[in-house]
Amino acid sequence: MSPSDATHQSALLLVVVALACLSAGCVALPDEGVSQDHLEDRFAETEPPESAAATVEITETVDGEVTTHTETVWLRADGASRIETTEDGAEMVIVNDGSERYFHDREADSVRSYEIDSTATSYLEGLYEQPERYVESYDVTEIEETTVDGHEVYRVEFDPPANETIDRSISVQLGPDEYVLPLETSEVDTAERSADRVELWLDRESMFPVKHAIAGDGIELETTYRSLSLDEPLEEGLFDPPEADDGSDAEEFVLPTITHHESVAEADAAAPFSVAEPEADALPDGVELEEISQYVFHDEDRTQVTLSYRNGDGDSIAVTTSDGQRQFATGGDPVAVGNATGTLAHTDEGTELQWSCDGLYYSVFAGSGYESETAVSIGESAKPVC
């Protein structure tokens, strides 16, 4: 996951919080000298190791339901990485050799790949850059010295900004094009859930994030690196491209291209169809247009444009126009949308209305902060409409 940066200045707040908690007896401070400034200095002077290997435990708790899976990882400073994991009974090997990323599904005996940006931040570098951004940008509320899996660590707790969200996808920039990839397959959409607590357990010697936890809005994501070894020699061949047992070549992923537009008129001119836009008075009070995104799914020969809205409380609305049906469209109950018949589906995340007209496919998503009627009224106001 990759949280958005904030710009809070926190050194003074750290002192205030520390003094307040000392007087209340709520925080056990570490030895003198360990502070947010000290952590910033340590990151500034610490280089990532040349290599790392570990067993990674990943635990996701959503509305009380806990799922756990384990990965084995080998990482190199030059960007090469190897991940072996098992999810839903399927064994997967993911290898990055510096120019291509390969996905080997051992159960299906298939290998797929896509070209990556060789100048992009490596897995190992990213493990250091994210904690450093936290320390530079977030308010630190507590620091203590403890141990995790035999490592002496600093446990650092942060108070993220109120608009921080838990995101389970990453954007990949390849030349002029941008792609989005899910971090894992999940039926639970966590992108709109706000984070209210971030914790890091940093190895005191190497500053490696041995453990990382982020929580809020009924979700908690926790990652722990166990049996961690740094700067140890790695076996030859770990980062060689995987091959299917039958010797077949890797199939190349066809990734969607994403373009961001400044206005609906610009999106309308760029898309191969007229973009549906709701009337302003059909939108809830306080909602503003936040982003206009055009996705081209090359393997589906499909384009979609999404207008994303949000209010000051973080409640979201999305209106999408597409010239093809989505592969993973939701179901729902029949409902009238103008002269068309659509479906209305309810989830914990919100309500989604879908309908089609004259060869185009439309959807309206209204977050859980809105009544289901909101999606219908917005859909009926969208122009053009059947």
Side-chain angles (χ1 to χ4, degrees), residues 23 26 33 72-73 87 108 176 178 207 216 229 233 251 254 268 330 344 384:
S23 62
C26 61
T72 306
V73 301
E87 282 196 65
E178 181 185 355
M207 298 300 286
S229 64
E251 178 184 356
V254 181
D268 198 73
T330 59
L344 193 66

Side-chain angles (χ1 to χ4, degrees), residues 316-345:
S316 63
I317 289 171
V319 179
T320 298
T321 309
S322 175
D323 57 7
Q325 192 168 10
R326 292 183 304 175
Q327 291 184 348
F328 303 103
T330 59
D333 299 321
V335 63
V337 187
N339 295 322
T341 299
T343 58
L344 193 66

Side-chain angles (χ1 to χ4, degrees), residues 73-282:
V73 301
W74 296 265
L75 312 173
R76 231 171 35 195
D78 63 3
S81 64
R82 181 185 180 93
I83 303 171
E84 296 184 0
T85 183
T86 301
E87 282 196 65
D88 300 326
E91 294 184 22
M92 182 72 70
V93 178
I94 305 170
V95 175
N96 179 350
D97 66 1
S99 60
E100 295 269 343
R101 179 168 286 126
Y102 299 86
F103 296 79
H104 183 191
D105 185 334
R106 285 178 166 168
E107 182 179 10
D109 192 28
S110 64
V111 180
R112 304 183 72 186
S113 69
Y114 67 86
E115 186 177 353
I116 61 174
D117 182 356
S118 60
T119 64
T121 300
S122 70
Y123 188 149
L124 191 52
E125 289 175 330
L127 285 175
Y128 277 77
E129 285 188 2
Q130 186 179 59
E132 187 172 8
R133 288 197 299 268
Y134 287 162
V135 170
E136 291 176 349
S137 305
Y138 288 3
D139 296 333
V140 171
T141 58
E142 185 173 351
I143 308 175
E144 67 172 348
E145 295 179 353
T146 183
T147 59
V148 172
D149 198 40
H151 292 266
E152 295 184 342
V153 300
Y154 301 121
R155 186 188 72 82
V156 187
E157 185 170 333
F158 303 89
D159 182 20
N163 62 350
E164 187 77 356
T165 58
I166 300 173
D167 191 356
R168 302 296 291 148
S169 65
I170 56 174
S171 293
V172 180
Q173 192 78 30
L174 302 182
D177 298 327
E178 181 185 355
Y179 306 93
V180 64
L181 298 173
L183 291 181
E184 61 185 59
T185 301
S186 174
E187 296 180 357
V188 181
D189 179 10
T190 62
E192 298 302 329
R193 301 200 184 217
S194 298
D196 55 32
R197 178 175 59 84
V198 173
E199 287 183 82
L200 284 175
W201 288 257
L202 300 168
D203 180 79
R204 282 187 242 168
E205 181 178 353
S206 66
M207 298 300 286
F208 187 96
V210 178
K211 189 175 178 180
H212 176 207
I214 183 168
D217 282 359
I219 184 170
E220 181 168 356
L221 305 171
E222 185 175 287
T223 302
T224 306
Y225 287 77
R226 301 195 182 278
S227 304
L228 175 66
S229 64
L230 302 176
D231 286 322
E232 296 292 334
L234 301 178
E235 293 182 17
E236 292 292 332
L238 274 174
F239 310 107
D240 292 343
E243 295 181 356
D245 293 339
D246 62 7
S248 58
D249 294 333
E251 178 184 356
E252 188 174 358
F253 271 119
V254 181
L255 302 176
T257 304
I258 304 174
T259 305
H260 299 292
H261 297 292
E262 295 296 326
S263 67
V264 176
E266 179 182 302
D268 198 73
F273 47 74
S274 295
V275 175
E277 181 180 13
E279 294 180 352
D281 58 5

